Structures are given as structure tokens and as C-alpha cells.
């Protein structure tokens, strides 16, 4: 298992693992950005349990860092307890999806309790997006505005919808893509989340799954990345570095930094290959 926070500079890692009939190649990078004094982003690489996650903490200088770290550690600990029981039958597939949700709910309880016990950190919380696999499918769950994308046959698709006031307003008023840019530019509450891990006693977790195809590349990002880069730019970087996930992570970080990087930034990539290819 590998988790990472970067105190001042970029941290990246790359590796691969044989798991559930697929070779999963993965890489991740995190950077404090150019304006923050602490990195409140945390990522998780846990190949032995096919678990990958990104969190973006909030709640003050120490609160956000604590919330993101505690959420990631609690999710990993839960999968460590139940992961060996996950097999490949249809019933176990349902269990795998259930375990993603349960792990995030345990993380929510851990962060909420920690905040309650530490008066100075009351109200702290974190986003969390998590990804796992069996022999035929990818499963993901998320809370907040950290995102999951998938590049398949050169086309990038966003798999999650932000739990934010902005996203909900766009959907509620059926604002089309042609009008969205102007609306977003003038929307005064861009960074207000409607859900976060640990901010309330209970949390509603969004969960989904999809069949796998060879060569699928999954990208998890915090808003420090996707607020700076468009989906087209992310797709271009991934297509240009499809054979080197570490280079893709570095390219995403460098492009984000070139845009001023006012926030912490984190990108995590997982690519699926059939063994021997």
C-alpha cells in the first residue's frame, strides 16, 4: 500500500500489479501548488486489494490534511479487513460495490468523530473518490468534487458528477454546454460542496460500475487539476503519454502549474491490460 502527501514539491510513483485477470498499471502525483502552504490532497495506491483513491481535505490548515489522511487510511483499513473475502461470483460483485460504499461510510464516521473530539477542527471534511476492480468490471464511488474520468479508445469520459452547488444548479436549470462557460464564470459559489466525507453524521455515497476493456485508462483528480485544465486538455495529455503513466502524471502536474496552480493538485492513473500485452 502506498499513500502520499507532498509537503512542498511533487511526489510521484508508478508500478504495476497482476490482479483479477488483468494487469493494472498505475501512477500518481501530488503537488502543493503555487499558493498554498500545506498539501491537503492525499492519494492511495493499494494494488493488493485493487483499490485506488484520491482525497482533498478541507477545514483549515490542519483540519483538511487530517480529514483527507484519516479518510484514506480508514478506507484502506476496511478493504484490508474484507478484501480477501472478495471473489468473482455475481454475489461477490455486489459485495465489492457494497464494500466501496461501506468503506467510505466508515471513513465518514471516523472523520466526523475526530472533528467532534477536536473542537478546533469541527466542520473539517474531505472529498473522496475511490476505484476498484474485479475480473470484468471497474467499480467507483465518490463524495464531493474530486473526479474520475476514463479514457477509452482515445475518448475521455467523466464518470462522476460533482457534489457541488454549481453542478446541482447546472443540472436543475438544465443549462446547456454552450451556455455553461459564461454561467460558471459568473457563479458566486463555485467551491461550495453539497456533500463531503466527515462534515455530517451520515453521508450519501454515489456509486457505479462499468465493464472493462483492454487499454482503459482511469484518471482520478482533485479540483486543483480539473479547475485548471479542460477535459480536452486532459484527454490530449493522456493520449500523448498513453505508454508512460508516470510521464502522463508529470505532464498533468506541469501543465496545471503553468496555469498558476492556486490549489493543491493530484492526479492518479490506472490502466488495464490483459496479461502479457
Amino acid at each position: 500500500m502506498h499513500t502520499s502527501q507532498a509537503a512542498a514539491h511533487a511526489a510521484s510513483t508508478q508500478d504495476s500489479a497482476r490482479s483479477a485477470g488483468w494487469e493494472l498499471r498505475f501512477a500518481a502525483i501530488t503537488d502543493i501548488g503555487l499558493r498554498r502552504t500545506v498539501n491537503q490532497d492525499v492519494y492511495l495506491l493499494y494494488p493488493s486489494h485493487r483499490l485506488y483513491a484520491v482525497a482533498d481535505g478541507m477545514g483549515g490548515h490542519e483540519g483538511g490534511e487530517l480529514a483527507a489522511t484519516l479518510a484514506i487510511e480508514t478506507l484502506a483499513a476496511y478493504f484490508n479487513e474484507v478484501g480477501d473475502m472478495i471473489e468473482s461470483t455475481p454475489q461477490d460483485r455486489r459485495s465489492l460495490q457494497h464494500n466501496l460504499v461501506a468503506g467510505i461510510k466508515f471513513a465518514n464516521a471516523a472523520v466526523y468523530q475526530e472533528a467532534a473530539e477536536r473542537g478546533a477542527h469541527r466542520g473539517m471534511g474531505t472529498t473522496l473518490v475511490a476505484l476498484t476492480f474485479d475480473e470484468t468490471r471497474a467499480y467507483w464511488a465518490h463524495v464531493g468534487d474530486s473526479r474520475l474520468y476514463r479514457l477509452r479508445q482515445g475518448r475521455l469520459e467523466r464518470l462522476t458528477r460533482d457534489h457541488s452547488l454549481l453542478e446541482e444548479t447546472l443540472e436543475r436549470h438544465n443549462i446547456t454546454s454552450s451556455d455553461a462557460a459564461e454561467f460558471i464564470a459568473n457563479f458566486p459559489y463555485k467551491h461550495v460542496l453539497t456533500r463531503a466525507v466527515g462534515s455530517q453524521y451520515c453521508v450519501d455515497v454515489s456509486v457505479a460500475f462499468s465493464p472493462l476493456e483492454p487499454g482503459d485508462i482511469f484518471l482520478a483528480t482533485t479540483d486543483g487539476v480539473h479547475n485548471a485544465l479542460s477535459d480536452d486538455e486532459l484527454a490530449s495529455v493522456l493520449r500523448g503519454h498513453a505508454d508512460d503513466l508516470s510521464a502522463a502524471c508529470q505532464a498533468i502536474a506541469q501543465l496545471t502549474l503553468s496555469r498558476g496552480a492556486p490549489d493543491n493538485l493530484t492526479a492518479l492513473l490506472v490502466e488495464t491490460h490483459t496479461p502479457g500485452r
Side-chain angles (χ1 to χ4, degrees), residues 4-19:
S4 181
Q5 285 179 287
H9 303 291
S12 64
T13 187
Q14 176 173 322
D15 207 339
S16 64
R18 187 71 59 82
S19 182

Side-chain angles (χ1 to χ4, degrees):
M1 180 178 67
H2 182 81
T3 63
S4 181
Q5 285 179 287
H9 303 291
S12 64
T13 187
Q14 176 173 322
D15 207 339
S16 64
R18 187 71 59 82
S19 182
W22 295 88
E23 181 183 356
L24 302 177
R25 302 173 186 173
F26 49 88
I29 192 165
T30 187
D31 193 282
I32 196 170
L34 300 178
R35 300 185 192 177
R36 298 295 178 92
T37 59
V38 64
N39 192 349
Q40 298 181 339
D41 286 0
V42 184
Y43 67 74
L44 170 70
L45 304 173
Y46 204 175
S48 62
H49 290 295
R50 310 184 292 276
L51 179 65
Y52 307 87
V54 164
D56 178 3
M58 58 188 186
H61 182 85
E62 295 180 358
E65 182 180 8
L66 176 62
T69 301
L70 183 56
I72 288 286
E73 290 178 348
T74 303
L75 177 64
Y78 180 81
F79 264 70
N80 190 51
E81 289 293 324
V82 304
D84 291 336
M85 296 185 291
I86 298 170
E87 299 295 340
S88 58
T89 68
Q91 179 62 44
D92 291 320
R93 290 193 185 112
R94 289 193 291 272
S95 296
L96 185 55
Q97 186 167 316
H98 165 81
N99 285 335
L100 267 182
V101 175
I104 293 177
K105 287 183 177 288
F106 271 102
N108 183 81
V111 175
Y112 184 83
Q113 181 176 350
E114 184 73 13
E117 293 175 355
R118 296 185 178 217
H121 298 320
R122 190 173 298 276
M124 73 179 184
T126 184
T127 70
L128 185 58
V129 57
L131 174 68
T132 190
F133 301 87
D134 67 13
E135 78 286 0
T136 61
R137 297 176 178 179
Y139 301 81
W140 58 90
H142 83 290
V143 176
D145 64 354
S146 291
R147 292 180 180 174
L148 184 70
Y149 299 84
R150 181 186 61 209
L151 186 77
R152 173 175 285 178
Q153 299 179 354
R155 178 178 176 270
L156 189 71
E157 178 184 2
R158 177 148 62 108
L159 300 177
T160 57
R161 306 301 296 176
D162 298 348
H163 298 142
S164 68
L165 189 59
L166 172 59
E167 189 87 12
E168 292 185 3
T169 302
L170 290 170
E171 292 181 358
R172 185 164 56 249
H173 294 283
N174 196 27
I175 297 173
T176 64
S177 57
S178 59
D179 299 324
E182 181 179 357
F183 181 87
I184 292 169
N186 295 305
F187 191 74
Y189 308 110
K190 294 183 183 67
H191 304 296
V192 176
L193 298 183
T194 54
R195 302 184 209 173
V197 172
S199 61
Q200 300 290 333
Y201 179 74
C202 295
V203 67
D204 186 13
V205 181
S206 294
V207 62
F209 66 89
S210 174
L212 287 171
E213 292 186 9
D216 282 348
I217 299 177
F218 295 87
L219 166 65
T221 64
T222 57
D223 66 347
V225 171
H226 55 252
N227 282 345
L229 306 182
S230 69
D231 289 4
D232 287 343
E233 289 172 319
L234 290 171
S236 179
V237 170
L238 294 181
R239 287 193 293 261
H241 298 84
D243 295 329
D244 189 338
L245 297 187
S246 181
C249 284
Q250 293 283 350
I252 289 171
Q254 289 303 314
L255 186 56
T256 305
L257 290 167
S258 75
R259 301 291 169 79
D263 200 355
N264 309 144
L265 60 102
T266 297
L268 183 153
L269 292 168
V270 183
E271 184 177 15
T272 60
H273 283 266
T274 51
R277 297 190 64 183

